[in-house]
Amino acid sequence: MIKKEKKVLLNPGPATTTDGVKAAQIVPDICPREKEFANILERLQCDLVKIVHGGDDYSAVLFCGSGTICMDVCLNSLLPENKRILVINNGAYTSRAVEICQHYGLSYIELKFRDDELPVLHEIEDALLKNDDIAVVYTTHNETGTGILNPIREIGALAHKYNCISVIDTTSTYGMIPIDVEADNIDFCMSSAQKGLMAMTGLSYVIGKTRLIIESEKYPKRSYYCNLFMQYEHFIKNKQMHFTPPVQTVYAAVQAMEEYFFEGEKNKFLRHKSVNDAIHNGLKKLGFKEYIKKEQQSGLVISAIYPDDKNWSFNDIHDYCYDRGFTIYPGVIRGTNTFRLCSFGAIDASDIHDFFKTFEAGLKKANVEIPVKYIAG
Ligand SMILES: *Cc1c(COP(=O)(O)O)cnc(C)c1O
């Protein structure tokens, strides 16, 4: 039933999945109100906490939606009355968090940094010192727009020093870069099944300190469908998600979880790294420049800068590669034209070698000069 043709997705999610995960969706029809399904969800939640080494103090709360639902849930659910959120913003995904704050009319302070630089810790501390009404410190781990990796452990430590909770968007690192919520000073993190877990879209999860989830019952309820405490409580009381879960997507996630633990945290990290190294080397050989300094990169997303060549067209090279099974992705950086190559998903370095053969052939066909040229140096 499954077409075996392999597609290599280098876009920032959904990621390439294994045949095992694809096949896991074909199951007998089941009503998700049945105990059999409740047991599956309960185990999945435990495993989701295990991936970030959460232990007994943490719980996973499931939502039916793409990754942004978790950003929405955390921001709208975890802010006490008359308090503010400090948003540490150095890129497109944290800018989305700012938009969510604006949409709900939440009180927030945006601390903005350049998108090609790490947030400055003493400026964060200054903001926390000057504003004692901050209750939530929010930032993104791997800023998927550029591929910069933010110092979340240090930011979390600052949050705790000033009695704030830390909420970290780990959507594009969870299950790929090892995370230890205790050691990394994370109170809440999040992800979506189609990213690090290499499963299907439609299932997302917040992992957070149970004590803080329970405390948030007192906070203003700003959403009905997307409230963290309500969803948490409903599962504790009824062993069900509040509303219809993405049934087949859950089965795929269960299979992906099994494959995750079979591959192992360290091996998976090293595989993603080897894919990233292969992308880096392939770009370098063709003369492409990268937007973020190598030592600040997450190792999961590379933003390459468009060459200065009248024959270069992102859309043309995209289409050439897409027709041959490789998907590349445009950038989101304002002021610099970039495209992104991500090392998510069930791929390895040999897929990248194949990709670069195709990519180079596409450049040659378009008469783009190789190595590619840049006007300024
Ligand atoms: C992918 C991603 C999201 C969620 O995006 P969706 O399109 O809603 O799945 C959120 N934050 C980061 C950092 C991401 O990489």
Side-chain angles (χ1 to χ4, degrees), residues 85-91 94-95 98 108-115 117-131 134 136-140 150 155 158:
I85 303 174
L86 178 66
V87 185
I88 299 158
N89 183 2
N90 63 340
T94 315
S95 294
V98 170
Y108 69 96
I109 300 172
E110 181 183 11
L111 202 54
K112 213 159 173 8
F113 296 96
R114 289 173 56 113
D115 60 12
E117 279 175 11
L118 295 175
V120 181
L121 294 173
H122 71 81
E123 290 182 29
I124 297 171
E125 180 150 20
D126 272 0
L128 287 163
L129 255 174
K130 282 193 196 119
N131 302 282
I134 295 171
V136 177
V137 174
Y138 180 102
T139 197
T140 305
N150 285 323
I155 290 171
L158 281 174

Side-chain angles (χ1 to χ4, degrees), residues 22-82:
K22 288 183 193 75
Q25 296 175 104
I26 313 292
V27 287
D29 294 319
I30 182 170
C31 172
R33 305 289 177 215
E34 292 301 325
K35 191 167 184 325
E36 184 185 344
F37 196 76
N39 292 341
I40 289 172
L41 286 184
E42 206 157 33
R43 247 200 69 200
L44 182 62
Q45 288 169 341
C46 285
D47 287 341
L48 286 166
V49 173
K50 224 180 266 170
I51 286 186
V52 288
H53 305 279
D56 293 340
D57 296 343
Y58 286 79
S59 301
V61 185
L62 304 174
F63 290 90
C64 181
S66 79
T68 306
I69 201 170
C70 294
M71 303 170 64
D72 187 321
V73 163
C74 285
L75 289 163
N76 89 62
S77 307
L78 293 171
L79 184 65
E81 193 133 43
N82 302 320

Side-chain angles (χ1 to χ4, degrees), residues 12-14 65-71 93-94 96 138 140-145 169-173 190-192 194-195 201 204 301 340 344:
S66 79
T68 306
I69 201 170
C70 294
M71 303 170 64
Y93 286 80
T94 315
R96 186 180 296 175
Y138 180 102
T140 305
H141 192 195
N142 169 28
E143 181 34 86
T144 320
D169 178 354
T170 54
T171 309
S172 63
T173 47
M190 61 191 82
S191 195
S192 196
Q194 80 278 14
K195 297 225 172 166
T201 58
S204 297
V301 177
R340 284 179 280 175
F344 301 178

Side-chain angles (χ1 to χ4, degrees), residues 94 140 146 227 271 306 336 353:
T94 315
T140 305
T146 54
N227 181 269
R271 179 172 58 77
Y306 284 8
T336 308
H353 298 141

Side-chain angles (χ1 to χ4, degrees), residues 317-333:
I317 189 73
H318 165 275
D319 292 353
Y320 184 90
C321 294
Y322 182 79
D323 289 343
R324 289 157 182 81
F326 300 97
T327 303
I328 65 175
Y329 206 70
V332 280
I333 301 164

